[in-house]
Amino acid sequence: MPRLRTRIIPRPGGAVTDLTPPTPPAPQSLASSATTANATWTHSGAPVGTTYAVIVIPSTGSAPTASGSGLGAWTWAVTAGVSYAARIRATAPDGQIADSVALVDVAAADLSAPIPPAPQSLASSATTASLTWTHAGAPAGTTYVLTVVDNAGASVSPSSGSGLGAYVIPVAAGKAYTARLRATGPDGQISQSSAIVYVATADLSAPTPPAQGSPEAAGTTSVSVTYTHAGAPVGTTYALTVTNQADFSSITPSSGSGLGPYVIPTSNGLEAVHYLTATGPDGQVARSVPRVIQVSASPALAWAAPSAATVSAGTTSATVTWATPTGGTTPYSYGAASVVYDSQAASTTALLSTSGAGAGTTTVSGLVNGQTVILSRTVTDSAGASVTVQGVANVAASSATVTPGTAPASQSLAAGSTSATIGTWGAPSGGTGPYTYAVTELNGTGTVIGGSGLGPWTVSGLSDGITYAFLLTITDSLSAKGYSVVTVAVAKSATAGSWIVVDSIDFTDANWTALSSTDATASTTAWQHTLYASDGVTPRAYVYNNVTDGRTLSLSPSGQGLTLVNSAITVQPTIGIWPAGWNSLRGGSRKDAWMMEAIFAGDEPSGVSGFVHACHLSTNTTTAVSTPGTGLRVINTSGNINLRAASYISAFADQAIQTLTAGATRAYTCGVQVTIADSRRHDVFIRPGATDFGDPESGQRVRVQATSTAMTAPGADVTTSASWFATSISARAKCWLYHDGSATSGSNVRLLKVRLLRKINGSL
């Protein structure tokens, strides 16, 4: 501090006093982020009229200018890492001068916290823990102090260590420790960080699961499980994991916590694995051994074919009594009965009337002598499984015609049966002998029939899930004929065999980006539309537009499916859909069996004009009979809806499957399966009324034969065309929606679901 110079001026009647220096503020330490400093002095006893001036002297750089008045506050700009001496000079009225200095230090940078080691979890046998910190950029002269406390609040002294470490800390089982390292910079700044150490009380044991039980009976809806855990420490928590082994999806318990009991929902055929994970208070994890839950599958749905209803000559009606189905999942729903064969179809019309509780009965009226009518009907259980059987109504011929004798009993065979003995008919009467006999299978499914005369007759080549109708035709010497029918039903397999689902798309789910388009530009080598998932990026399917006829194509999330609506009566819009997951079909192996399955729907909201919809699973339809176009053909009149299997493989051919009574909008739904096999068999399976996928090879089966215009008549099997496995966009197999030119404007056909199945090195 400079010496004070005091000038004494004599005054009459008063003493002269030296001017005292002002009192400075305490020294200040500012953070590196500070931009200004201020200082205020006090000056006790300063005479009236004393003036003040401040000069700031930095440790480096140019001197800032201080602003203020009197004793302050005086402010000036500061820079990180610079120290300042602010000197105030007091000048008394008598000219005396006195100085004092205020000191301000600005940190070069804020002191960062030391970086602690990662938290440690030690075994119960551990006696020490070692801890080391790092402190990048710490200024020279930084000092460190470590404090340690356990989870009871007691202080623990390190056995050794200094600075940033390593510090060795004594530990004991079952405790947790918090170690805090405090750093003090040379400018007095302080920062700190902590490390955590856990020591286990003992290694955590695994929970004990319940004993492995036997499979639960079909119909069991829930299973309760309880675990035990001897010696588990207080604070242990538990989580139960349940996994469905069929698709590895998680199953959420209906209730339960801790060790249980947990209630796990179940269903028929379920196989699931459960285990319990324990987490100790010290973070240790132990998992129990798994246990298996099994629930027996319900018996497969079965429906015995009804006995033939045979009435005497002159009777015009016959009643078929349907049996009660067994197995499957109740309740059952029954489809309408339909005529699949009528020996007098050219001259009479059989009328059907179904009544009664459950399956009930169907009365066939309008019959004439010698007429045989075969009915088909489907039962569906609540799980979606279905079985189709056939019943027979016979009217005896007059004495002038041939009357068959007693027919062998109809048969219901177990799944897996491939052959049967039909039996022997009784001797015929009427007509003029001698007689000749022939037995044929009415649906043309490719069975091999052996026998002669009245029998016994045998049949081989039977398949699961099909009801076969065998017609005995008796011809007398004058060509008069008599007919008798026996049915053989083979139960459907309980499983899907070795069919693998390659890809499956639901056009009614929520994962779609909406589309509405009237663009009728025909496709050539590129897709007309890409149908995206809800993210607007991921392709799920592609659309090929076959013709330029006017139409509207639409798709909505959680909607009614991909919908094709025609624009006028005269147009025939046609589109093909290729799912993005069907790439394996391009150039696919012809040694494998393939199946394409789709759920179609359609209606005509206004008008009464008839219409035809074609819902095919095939390659490009524009090449007509040279292309394997195969699937469903819907012929709709003002009074009924006729569902027919149709094919262009050999030449155009179709086969009536079921006739439905038309509703207000003449709506229908139908499941279609088309098989492709190197065994040269092409089968079409039709399931009227289906809204979801069925078991592979289920429904009314019709085999495509090489004989022109024949789908059910015997004929050679058709060679599997390489066109099914074409790779170009235009030629590859697709799911087709088509309107003919007769539908009222606004008629629509919809694709609800489609999937591709494959049987590796399989045969049908």
Side-chain angles (χ1 to χ4, degrees):
M1 181 182 297
R3 296 179 58 191
L4 300 180
R5 294 178 300 167
T6 304
R7 184 171 60 182
I8 302 173
I9 302 175
R11 295 182 181 226
V16 176
T17 304
D18 288 343
L19 182 64
T20 60
T23 302
Q28 302 179 49
S29 293
L30 302 183
S32 61
S33 59
T35 58
T36 60
N38 65 76
T40 301
W41 285 259
T42 60
H43 201 180
S44 177
V48 176
T50 299
T51 60
Y52 302 91
V54 173
I55 298 174
V56 180
I57 302 171
S59 60
T60 183
S62 58
T65 300
S67 61
S69 62
L71 291 164
W74 290 84
T75 62
W76 65 93
V78 297
T79 301
V82 180
S83 298
Y84 298 88
R87 186 183 69 189
I88 190 167
R89 172 166 288 182
T91 305
D94 59 3
Q96 291 189 74
I97 296 172
D99 295 343
S100 72
V101 176
L103 298 178
V104 176
D105 292 314
V106 183
D110 290 340
L111 184 63
S112 62
I115 298 175
Q120 300 182 37
S121 294
L122 304 181
S124 59
S125 59
T127 58
T128 61
S130 178
L131 301 173
T132 300
W133 279 255
T134 60
H135 199 184
T142 300
T143 60
Y144 302 91
V145 177
L146 180 70
T147 58
V148 183
V149 294
D150 64 16
N151 55 347
S155 296
V156 180
S157 297
S159 302
S160 62
S162 63
L164 293 166
Y167 290 93
V168 177
I169 301 168
V171 297
K175 289 193 173 184
Y177 298 85
T178 302
R180 179 179 294 110
L181 188 70
R182 172 175 289 185
T184 303
D187 58 358
Q189 292 190 74
I190 295 173
S191 64
Q192 60 187 15
S193 63
S194 298
I196 304 297
V197 177
Y198 298 100
V199 185
T201 56
D203 291 340
L204 186 65
S205 63
T208 301
Q212 179 64 58
S214 301
E216 305 291 337
T220 301
T221 59
S222 65
V223 172
S224 177
V225 297
T226 302
Y227 289 73
T228 59
H229 198 186
V234 176
T236 300
T237 59
Y238 300 93
L240 181 70
T241 300
V242 186
T243 304
N244 188 328
Q245 294 300 96
D247 57 6
F248 301 105
S249 61
S250 295
I251 299 175
T252 302
S254 303
S255 62
S257 61
L259 292 167
Y262 292 90
V263 177
I264 301 172
T266 62
S267 58
N268 290 347
L270 173 70
E271 180 174 345
V273 170
H274 64 89
Y275 60 84
L276 192 69
T277 301
T279 303
D282 58 359
Q284 291 192 75
V285 175
R287 193 180 82 176
S288 73
V289 297
R291 288 289 186 260
V292 178
I293 297 174
Q294 289 180 306
V295 180
S296 300
S298 60
L301 179 65
W303 197 15
S307 300
T310 301
V311 295
S312 59
T315 305
T316 59
S317 64
T319 299
V320 175
T321 301
W322 304 97
T324 300
T326 60
T329 305
T330 58
Y332 305 122
S333 60
Y334 301 91
S338 62
V339 175
V340 295
Y341 173 79
D342 186 347
S343 63
Q344 304 294 328
S347 57
T348 65
T349 300
L351 303 177
L352 308 183
S353 175
T354 301
S355 61
T361 60
T362 297
T363 298
V364 186
S365 57
L367 302 177
V368 298
N369 291 347
Q371 185 172 1
T372 296
V373 176
I374 300 178
L375 309 180
S376 179
R377 196 176 183 198
T378 299
V379 63
T380 304
D381 70 5
S382 60
S386 62
V387 173
T388 300
V389 297
Q390 294 176 329
V392 179
N394 291 310
V395 180
S398 64
S399 58
T401 59
V402 177
T403 301
T406 303
S410 294
Q411 301 179 49
S412 295
L413 305 180
S417 300
T418 59
S419 62
T421 298
I422 297 175
T424 302
W425 273 264
S429 60
T432 303
Y435 306 102
T436 58
Y437 307 90
V439 173
T440 56
E441 202 279 299
L442 293 175
N443 287 335
T445 54
T447 56
V448 177
I449 301 171
S452 62
L454 293 170
W457 291 81
T458 60
V459 60
S460 60
L462 304 179
S463 298
D464 290 353
I466 300 177
T467 298
Y468 299 85
F470 297 96
L471 175 68
L472 172 69
T473 301
I474 306 171
T475 306
D476 72 0
S477 60
L478 300 178
S479 298
K481 296 182 183 297
Y483 303 92
S484 179
V485 175
V486 171
T487 61
V488 176
V490 183
K492 182 165 52 180
S493 300
T495 65
S498 56
W499 284 104
I500 299 170
V501 177
V502 177
D503 182 67
S504 179
I505 292 185
D506 185 348
F507 287 91
T508 67
D509 67 25
N511 188 24
W512 292 103
T513 295
L515 169 74
S516 180
S517 172
T518 57
D519 181 11
T521 304
S523 300
T524 53
T525 60
W527 302 113
Q528 184 190 35
H529 297 292
T530 299
L531 305 180
Y532 292 103
S534 57
D535 61 10
V537 176
T538 305
R540 295 188 68 190
Y542 304 93
V543 175
Y544 185 91
N545 188 36
N546 215 44
V547 296
T548 59
D549 287 357
R551 86 291 189 278
T552 298
L553 181 66
S554 61
L555 177 65
S556 300
S558 302
Q560 295 183 321
L562 185 63
T563 303
L564 179 68
V565 180
N566 67 336
S567 63
I569 293 178
T570 57
V571 300
Q572 295 179 307
T574 309
I575 64 166
I577 300 93
W578 170 263
W582 281 26
N583 279 333
S584 59
L585 190 61
R586 297 168 58 191
S589 172
R590 292 173 63 185
K591 293 182 179 179
D592 299 339
W594 298 82
M595 175 182 291
M596 294 184 285
E597 180 175 15
I599 305 298
F600 296 105
D603 60 20
E604 187 173 17
S606 62
V608 295
S609 298
F611 64 81
V612 175
H613 291 164
C615 308
H616 280 183
L617 296 158
S618 67
T619 59
N620 191 319
T621 59
T622 58
T623 53
V625 295
S626 63
T627 298
T630 303
L632 176 72
R633 181 177 174 85
V634 183
I635 302 176
N636 197 321
T637 68
S638 60
N640 60 50
I641 302 169
N642 187 245
L643 305 180
R644 308 178 71 86
S647 177
Y648 286 91
I649 290 180
S650 175
F652 174 72
D654 65 352
Q655 169 65 39
I657 299 299
Q658 186 164 338
T659 299
L660 307 177
T661 301
T665 63
R666 293 184 289 163
Y668 65 90
T669 60
C670 192
V672 180
Q673 297 174 352
V674 175
T675 61
I676 316 163
D678 196 43
S679 58
R680 300 185 178 182
R681 293 183 180 179
H682 295 74
D683 290 335
V684 182
F685 295 85
I686 304 294
R687 295 186 300 118
T691 58
D692 203 352
F693 297 127
D695 291 338
E697 302 174 77
S698 65
Q700 181 67 43
R701 180 171 74 170
V702 177
R703 175 154 295 163
V704 181
Q705 303 292 307
T707 304
S708 178
T709 70
M711 291 190 74
T712 60
D717 288 330
V718 180
T719 302
T720 301
S721 169
S723 299
W724 287 103
F725 308 101
T727 59
S728 67
I729 287 177
S730 61
R732 71 182 62 169
K734 307 177 188 72
C735 184
W736 290 92
L737 302 180
Y738 163 82
H739 286 273
D740 81 344
S742 62
T744 300
S745 175
S747 169
N748 72 81
V749 59
R750 305 189 303 277
L751 176 59
L752 307 183
K753 297 181 179 182
V754 64
R755 68 176 180 174
L756 177 67
L757 299 93
R758 184 179 190 178
K759 184 183 290 187
I760 304 298
N761 293 324
S763 60
L764 302 176

